[in-house]
Amino acid sequence: MNAVLEPAAGATPWPSWRNRFASLGDAFFTRLPAQPLPEPYWVATSDACAEALGWPADWWRAPGALEAFSGGAPWPGMQPLASVYSGHQFGVWAGQLGDGRALWLGEVDSPSGPMELQLKGSGLTPYSRMGDGRAVLRSSIREFLCSEAMHHLGIPTTRALCVTGSALPVRRETLETAAVVTRVSPSFIRFGHFEHFAHTAADRAALQRLLDFTIDHYAPECRDAREPAAALLEWVARRTARLLAQWQAVGFCHGVMNTDNMSILGLTIDYGPFGFMDGFDPGHVCNHSDHQGRYAYARQPNVALWNLHALAQALLPLLVPEGADTAAADAAGERLLEALEPYREVFPRELQSRMAAKLGLATQRDGDRELIDDLLRLMAAEHADFTLGFRALAGLRTADGADHAAVRDPFVDRAAFDAWAARYIGRLRAEGSVDEERAQRMNRVNPKFVLRNHLAQAAIERAQRGDFSEVERLLKVLQRPFDEQPEHAAYAAHPPDWARSIEVSCSS
């Protein structure tokens, strides 16, 4: 995108802003302006995200848009603030945290309801904790691309509207340049917001206001429950279970599943050291900073449940009257644990359903779980490419003597694959599967294109030289992850050998 832009005739007028989160009160945030990027320029915008907001594609040409979305003069109606929350980081209580490099701008009405906009990388806040409040071009491009990629994969996520950049130097592992990414979400409320008022602030009234706010605006079906706090917990547990099943089914690793990085709406939030697996490895750790492997791919579902228990603990004061005895507290705790039970039911059911769909199974039969598990064991044994392996299976044919050379290609142990494929073909024949119909179904759930680290890295390196064309091109590819796109076949190829050396950490 050109770094110097002139407002177009009839450009987008400023939208009307609302600020419901600000109604919670000063205990929830600090009002402060952003710190503007010096000499900002546009890096990338998402037309699809703009459309979701009800904005035209040329919104960024509106007078003052570049300044507003790089931390300069806000548009009329924006009320910049940084929210406070707490949380557990890598399983350890970290106390007060908060928006250390993010700034909430407010809400706009969209075709799908109110959407909050937030700047990430807009400078120091009271919650920066020794940080500089800035984000770098590298991490901003990664979040921008992955937010939009996940949306087009059909996975619940925050969105990304745009990235702006500047020559301002920022120190991470090396000296890099600054950037700001604008995030979009129905809400940025996290588990950690509830933890803050239950533990750090010990403010029962504020905790109750937060609960009421969340239920009234996002989960009104919980309002008439006998215990709305328990009802909300179950609501969150179900949404989180479905989210985790989707992550696992597509081979996505979040990398830093701290409670302050868990959305109360069950959205993927806070893209830092994430990664889509190349070679399948249940023990894969995408975060170079995660030395104990707490957030390995196979551990993500249990970590999510652990985090839900932390949320339950934060909600406990709302079920226990002040001055209640230990027995009353224990009984309330049991009711919250019961509210978490649906997670144990929903997650495995959703994952089984999604994995069966990846194999094109139209019915449920005994032995399906073993068939799926045996394929995953085979893939893990030789680190077969997760995305390419499942995509290739759509080419399998059930006729005797069919040529399966292309289907076998992702697997080194051909004999082991052939033995599994014989069982798979028998299963497909048993339900009368029609090859072409099944292939179409499979290609609607097994993406051909995901944001692999080496693709993001190539786009980042060109952007660091001032060329943003690869960011735009990659975004367009990722917006159609299930389509063949033969003209972009290189984006679906096996990753190059140098991709193994890419490391992402909490600064990524």
Side-chain angles (χ1 to χ4, degrees):
M1 181 176 291
N2 195 337
V4 180
L5 300 168
E6 296 297 329
T12 314
W14 286 322
S16 297
W17 293 79
R18 63 169 71 182
N19 301 280
R20 293 183 301 176
F21 184 83
S23 69
L24 281 166
D26 292 346
F28 288 81
F29 53 78
T30 299
R31 297 183 187 274
L32 75 163
Q35 296 174 350
L37 291 179
E39 300 181 2
Y41 53 80
W42 291 107
V43 174
T45 66
S46 169
D47 292 350
C49 185
E51 182 180 7
L53 289 172
W55 297 3
D58 70 343
W59 69 271
W60 51 274
R61 292 184 180 272
L66 177 57
E67 291 73 20
F69 292 95
S70 57
W75 277 353
M78 290 180 176
Q79 294 188 14
L81 58 85
S83 72
V84 62
Y85 48 81
S86 296
H88 289 82
Q89 298 192 325
F90 291 90
V92 177
W93 177 246
Q96 179 179 297
L97 302 167
D99 292 329
R101 54 178 171 169
L103 210 60
W104 185 88
L105 299 176
E107 288 176 297
V108 295
D109 287 325
S110 81
S112 56
M115 289 288 172
E116 298 180 4
L117 275 71
Q118 183 186 76
L119 302 181
K120 182 176 180 179
S122 53
L124 284 167
T125 78
Y127 316 114
S128 295
R129 294 198 316 160
M130 305 299 293
D132 55 20
R134 289 297 186 187
V136 296
L137 184 63
R138 168 176 53 101
S139 63
S140 300
I141 288 174
R142 281 173 54 83
E143 175 150 3
F144 173 79
L145 289 173
C146 199
S147 299
E148 292 302 283
M150 292 286 272
H151 171 76
H152 290 281
L153 285 167
I155 299 174
T157 180
T158 58
R159 301 289 299 273
L161 177 65
C162 61
V163 179
T164 60
S166 167
L168 179 72
V170 177
R171 171 69 64 179
R172 290 297 181 264
E173 284 89 350
T174 60
L175 199 63
E176 304 184 52
T177 59
V180 172
V181 60
T182 299
R183 308 197 287 192
V184 178
S185 176
S187 175
F188 289 97
I189 295 176
R190 307 148 185 267
F191 290 14
H193 281 96
F194 289 87
E195 288 187 287
H196 178 75
F197 291 101
H199 298 283
T200 303
D203 188 337
R204 187 186 295 256
L207 185 61
Q208 184 67 55
R209 288 203 305 278
L210 181 60
L211 176 76
D212 291 339
F213 179 91
T214 303
I215 289 176
D216 290 345
H217 294 305
Y218 309 110
E221 59 268 41
C222 299
R223 171 54 61 202
D224 295 330
R226 183 171 64 89
E227 292 180 318
L232 179 67
L233 181 63
E234 180 177 338
W235 184 84
V236 175
R238 291 181 180 277
R239 294 171 75 96
T240 303
R242 289 192 288 270
L243 175 68
L244 267 290
Q246 289 176 275
W247 284 5
Q248 300 303 102
V250 80
F252 175 77
C253 302
H254 185 278
V256 60
M257 288 177 63
N258 299 331
T259 58
D260 57 294
N261 292 337
M262 296 291 292
S263 161
I264 204 72
L265 302 187
L267 307 175
T268 314
I269 191 171
D270 281 352
Y271 291 91
F274 68 83
F276 288 86
M277 280 189 295
D278 294 328
F280 180 59
D281 175 9
H284 177 68
V285 179
C286 67
N287 181 357
H288 185 60
S289 305
D290 184 5
H291 304 296
Q292 304 301 317
R294 176 179 176 82
Y295 299 136
Y297 166 80
R299 292 180 175 176
Q300 291 185 141
N302 284 338
V303 169
L305 183 57
W306 192 98
N307 290 340
L308 284 163
H309 278 88
L311 177 60
Q313 185 68 32
L315 292 171
L316 183 60
L318 299 180
L319 272 69
V320 182
E322 292 192 57
D325 58 21
T326 302
D330 290 345
E334 287 298 322
R335 293 196 296 276
L336 288 172
L337 290 178
E338 290 173 6
L340 294 180
E341 281 304 305
Y343 182 93
R344 303 178 192 275
E345 170 198 342
V346 173
F347 170 74
R349 184 183 68 224
E350 287 284 325
L351 182 58
Q352 175 72 13
S353 174
R354 293 183 180 279
M355 297 305 293
K358 290 173 77 69
L359 293 184
L361 302 181
T363 60
Q364 296 180 13
R365 300 201 174 197
D366 292 341
D368 286 353
R369 181 169 182 175
E370 289 76 12
L371 185 71
I372 294 167
D373 288 348
D374 287 345
L375 173 61
L376 293 175
R377 275 190 282 269
L378 177 61
M379 295 178 74
E382 51 189 66
H383 285 197
D385 191 279
F386 189 84
T387 301
L388 295 179
F390 276 103
R391 183 77 177 190
L393 286 175
L396 185 139
R397 297 295 177 259
T398 56
D400 290 336
D403 182 4
H404 293 144
V407 183
R408 300 163 85 207
D409 186 60
F411 300 88
V412 175
D413 189 340
R414 303 304 171 85
F417 174 77
D418 288 346
W420 178 85
R423 294 166 54 201
Y424 178 40
I425 290 171
R427 170 66 179 83
L428 294 174
R429 288 174 175 172
E431 69 176 20
S433 183
V434 178
D435 290 344
E436 291 303 324
E437 294 176 358
R438 183 185 69 258
Q440 291 179 13
R441 293 199 309 273
M442 293 173 70
N443 286 339
R444 288 195 294 266
V445 297
N446 289 316
K448 182 175 181 178
F449 303 95
V450 294
L451 182 59
R452 297 176 186 266
N453 275 335
H454 76 279
L455 298 178
Q457 185 63 28
I460 288 165
E461 290 178 2
R462 290 183 66 166
Q464 289 171 333
R465 298 193 296 269
D467 179 0
F468 310 129
S469 62
E470 186 61 17
V471 177
E472 295 181 9
R473 185 160 39 248
L474 186 51
L475 175 64
K476 287 182 170 62
V477 172
L478 295 169
Q479 288 173 334
R480 298 165 53 204
F482 303 105
D483 294 350
E484 282 298 320
Q485 302 189 67
E487 71 277 19
H488 296 305
Y491 291 90
H494 279 280
D497 289 342
W498 62 263
R500 299 192 189 103
S501 65
I502 297 174
E503 293 181 346
V504 291
S505 65
C506 291
S507 69
S508 299

